[in-house]
Amino acid sequence: MMFYYTVFVILFCLSLYEIFFKVNKRIKNAAELLVLTLLILISSVRGDGIGDYNNYKMLFESTNTDVNVITSILQPNMRLSEPLYSILNYTIKYFGGSFQTLVFMEALFVNTVMYIICKKIMRSVQENAAGKDYTLTVFFIMWCLGLYNVIIIRQTLAVSVCWFSIKYIRKRNLKGFLICWLAAVCLHQSEILWLPSYWIYHFNVRKPVIRYQFMLALLCAGAAGAVFVKPLAPYIPGVAGEKVRMYFSMGLDSFGLDYSVAFIFLKTFMNIGVILAMLVFLFRSLKDEKLFCGLYNLYLTGAALVLATSFVSNQLSRVAQAYTMISIFLFPYLFRLKSGRNSKMVLFMMFSFYMGIRLYINIHGSTVLMQGYPVWRS
């Protein structure tokens, strides 16, 4: 397990340097590219036992490249409902690549796209932050919140496309947004829930009454959805229906890890409660910034979905991931607040302590991760 904490310390030091010291642009860019390369390499050597590795490997190996791509993805064992992922498997196998090549390509795609998104969002944050760019801090957050851009699954690919669509949401470019949304849905069906993000982002929550009404409406909608989806689950067709039924049948079990209600409560509090408290604290100072308010709206939507589903089905709560993981772009706003150097250092230490706890919970919530990082072996 020392591997996880070694990377934690490296990213902690880089984040500290980025926030508190006068940054040389060339050195910072080099550090970002080195970290990006490191994360891609770590993800590329990922082996069996985590992130549905074995299931994805079976799917790749069963892909038939002796026929054309359309015939191949129409076969019963392929994911017709998520064709882009099947086409990706087919293309890599057709050109002689192995499953580990697919893992590398996924790591390259997700990390590159997330880096581009991060630079764009941080550039907007930077405009009002005395020239500070918090990209290295975002890498630190991603590592702590579940090795998010390292353990890559289909949903991670889809979420990265959803986040890319934020550039079109901000410009109110519905056509560009819909193209990204459709691509994300063709990678993972759960991202159908990203569709309302285009309108949610622009919802005006600056007035306290409207903000609390918005939060309550989201929570009620999420709870109603969780109540009504269960009885309707037997009638949902295709792969989506099978997955929903499986998730409901699993309840609080998470692929072999049978979580107690107490653990789910603690996990939900750490994931949602602390972040919501931070956002309420930040909102007073940043309520006039469009980017912050838009991301705030998206995170609130995810929080409502998680609260509505976590105690019904641990796995079903994953549908909120595109919304809840927006928090990685919200944490850096903490260091935008006007405060003395000592106060900011205390804040940074509290932030880092929280990140350490989140990393610890994620590692100890997985029997595979507790045995060390799973590395591919030929």
Side-chain angles (χ1 to χ4, degrees):
M1 286 195 295
M2 282 303 297
F3 167 74
Y4 306 112
Y5 298 113
T6 302
V7 177
F8 174 89
V9 170
I10 292 169
L11 294 175
F12 166 84
C13 292
L14 289 172
S15 178
L16 184 71
Y17 162 73
E18 178 178 67
I19 293 169
F20 290 96
F21 294 90
K22 190 174 181 180
V23 176
N24 181 296
K25 196 172 180 180
R26 236 180 232 183
I27 294 174
K28 186 175 183 302
N29 288 340
E32 289 172 1
L33 292 175
L34 282 171
V35 171
L36 182 65
T37 304
L38 174 65
L39 293 173
I40 291 171
L41 288 174
I42 292 171
S43 182
S44 299
V45 299
R46 180 169 61 91
D48 58 350
I50 196 165
D52 277 354
Y53 181 94
N54 295 328
N55 291 337
Y56 290 135
K57 189 174 183 180
M58 285 171 60
L59 182 67
F60 178 84
E61 290 173 349
S62 63
T63 300
N64 184 3
T65 54
D66 294 329
V67 294
N68 65 59
V69 65
I70 302 299
T71 305
S72 177
I73 66 174
L74 287 173
Q75 292 181 347
N77 60 323
M78 292 293 104
R79 295 182 179 273
L80 179 60
S81 57
E82 294 159 338
L84 275 185
Y85 189 73
S86 296
I87 291 169
L88 178 63
N89 277 265
Y90 180 93
T91 304
I92 289 174
K93 191 171 182 181
Y94 182 83
F95 287 104
S98 65
F99 177 67
Q100 216 58 37
T101 308
L102 174 65
V103 173
F104 168 74
M105 294 303 294
E106 289 175 340
L108 182 65
F109 174 80
V110 167
N111 281 280
T112 303
V113 169
M114 286 192 176
Y115 179 69
I116 292 168
I117 298 163
C118 181
K119 292 302 286 185
K120 284 184 177 294
I121 290 178
M122 288 303 110
R123 195 172 294 125
S124 298
V125 174
Q126 183 181 5
E127 290 172 4
N128 300 303
K132 285 288 185 181
D133 174 344
Y134 300 107
T135 302
L136 290 169
T137 302
V138 170
F139 280 135
F140 177 45
I141 296 165
M142 281 187 183
W143 181 261
C144 297
L145 302 189
L147 314 182
Y148 192 67
N149 51 341
V150 172
I151 299 172
I152 294 169
I153 56 177
R154 282 180 303 114
Q155 191 173 13
T156 322
L157 293 168
V159 167
S160 65
V161 176
C162 287
W163 287 354
F164 189 78
S165 73
I166 292 174
K167 66 176 283 188
Y168 299 111
I169 295 174
R170 293 178 67 194
K171 295 176 182 177
R172 296 182 183 270
N173 183 340
L174 183 59
K175 184 179 177 181
F177 166 77
L178 288 175
I179 291 170
C180 288
W181 173 72
L182 283 170
V185 172
C186 288
L187 283 166
H188 200 278
Q189 284 183 317
S190 67
E191 301 319 320
I192 196 168
L193 294 177
W194 184 251
L195 180 61
S197 66
Y198 183 86
W199 295 274
I200 290 170
Y201 179 93
H202 294 289
F203 190 81
N204 187 348
V205 292
R206 281 182 290 181
K207 291 182 179 179
V209 175
I210 294 175
R211 186 162 73 251
Y212 295 129
Q213 287 175 345
F214 177 61
M215 291 170 68
L216 183 61
L218 285 173
L219 187 57
C220 291
V227 169
F228 289 114
V229 168
K230 193 168 186 176
L232 291 174
Y235 306 103
I236 300 174
V239 177
E242 290 175 16
K243 286 234 168 184
V244 169
R245 289 188 288 275
M246 180 184 73
Y247 290 159
F248 273 121
S249 67
M250 290 171 70
L252 301 185
D253 180 78
S254 182
F255 295 111
L257 298 174
D258 192 9
Y259 294 139
S260 66
V261 173
F263 181 84
I264 293 292
F265 178 81
L266 176 64
K267 193 168 182 284
T268 303
F269 174 75
M270 292 303 296
N271 289 359
I272 303 295
V274 173
I275 297 174
L276 285 177
M278 175 193 77
L279 292 178
V280 170
F281 174 67
L282 287 172
F283 196 84
R284 296 176 184 177
S285 303
L286 302 168
K287 62 183 178 182
D288 294 321
E289 289 195 23
K290 288 183 178 179
L291 176 61
F292 173 80
C293 288
L295 297 178
Y296 176 91
N297 289 352
L298 295 177
Y299 181 79
L300 284 182
T301 305
L305 283 169
V306 169
L307 291 171
T309 57
S310 287
F311 296 95
V312 178
S313 169
N314 188 51
Q315 285 299 312
L316 192 61
S317 65
R318 288 169 51 194
V319 299
Q321 204 168 91
Y323 290 102
T324 54
M325 288 304 292
I326 287 288
S327 61
I328 67 173
F329 303 118
L330 288 165
F331 275 106
Y333 278 100
L334 281 170
F335 307 107
R336 282 273 316 280
L337 299 176
K338 292 179 180 179
S339 57
R341 190 176 179 84
N342 291 338
S343 299
K344 188 172 283 190
M345 180 60 75
V346 171
L347 186 62
F348 179 75
M349 289 304 168
M350 290 171 63
F351 157 76
S352 301
F353 179 70
Y354 172 75
M355 286 298 151
I357 292 174
R358 289 292 301 270
L359 180 63
Y360 179 86
I361 290 173
N362 284 313
I363 292 170
H364 286 261
S366 166
T367 51
V368 176
L369 288 178
M370 282 181 68
Q371 294 168 10
Y373 186 74
V375 178
W376 167 70
R377 295 176 180 84
S378 58

